[in-house]
Amino acid sequence: MRTYELMTIHRPEMAEADFRARVDEIGALLTAREATPSDTELWGKRRFAYEINHGNEGYYSVISFETDSADVLSDL
């Protein structure tokens, strides 16, 4: 099995509870696709180094997971 990391950035206007729920949904999706999530880091709301889609900040998370298939996220 190989180890991968998936970083996500969520909109800053979300409530923190909604952000955590979305990260949990991603973990469940990985599990459903036969990946094994090993660690989830919630970095919270951070400022971007530069503007992205007219935004300056967002909620960051990093999910580490193991899988045999590199295309576990290919159709998302």
Side-chain angles (χ1 to χ4, degrees):
M1 289 191 131
R2 297 186 71 166
T3 302
Y4 296 90
E5 288 184 335
L6 173 66
M7 176 176 272
T8 60
I9 304 172
H10 302 267
R11 297 214 170 263
E13 57 270 359
M14 294 178 80
E16 189 164 344
D18 294 336
F19 158 64
R20 290 175 183 270
R22 293 289 294 183
V23 172
D24 290 341
E25 287 175 17
I26 294 168
L29 176 68
L30 289 169
T31 301
R33 292 178 178 228
E34 299 179 9
T36 306
S38 58
D39 188 32
T40 301
E41 296 179 30
L42 301 175
W43 291 8
K45 192 182 284 190
R46 302 237 174 162
R47 193 150 186 81
F48 298 157
Y50 52 88
E51 190 173 290
I52 301 174
N53 290 335
H54 307 289
N56 294 317
E57 62 184 6
Y59 284 105
Y60 283 75
S61 70
V62 178
I63 301 173
S64 300
F65 62 96
E66 294 180 345
T67 186
D68 287 330
S69 176
D71 61 345
V72 70
L73 299 173
S74 65
D75 61 344
L76 293 181

